[in-house]
Amino acid sequence: MNKQNVRAIAAYERKGFSVRESVCVNIGGGFVMDDFIMSRSIA
């Protein structure tokens, strides 16, 4: 999830997701993907 996408993050949090980790990945061409990995328990 893009860290700047506050509306989408809030929507996922309402469904029980939380931030598991923060990642910053070089995707080439001078661009990076600065995102959150979100997860939720299925139990």
Side-chain angles (χ1 to χ4, degrees):
M1 178 67 51
N2 185 292
K3 290 179 181 176
Q4 304 304 313
N5 195 340
V6 246
R7 289 182 64 194
I9 291 169
Y12 274 91
E13 287 173 336
R14 283 192 300 273
K15 297 294 183 182
F17 285 79
S18 60
V19 174
R20 187 178 76 199
E21 65 183 287
S22 174
V23 295
C24 190
V25 179
N26 181 346
I27 58 173
F31 296 97
V32 294
M33 209 168 41
D34 192 14
D35 293 345
F36 290 133
I37 303 293
M38 299 185 77
S39 64
R40 75 176 185 142
S41 175
I42 57 172

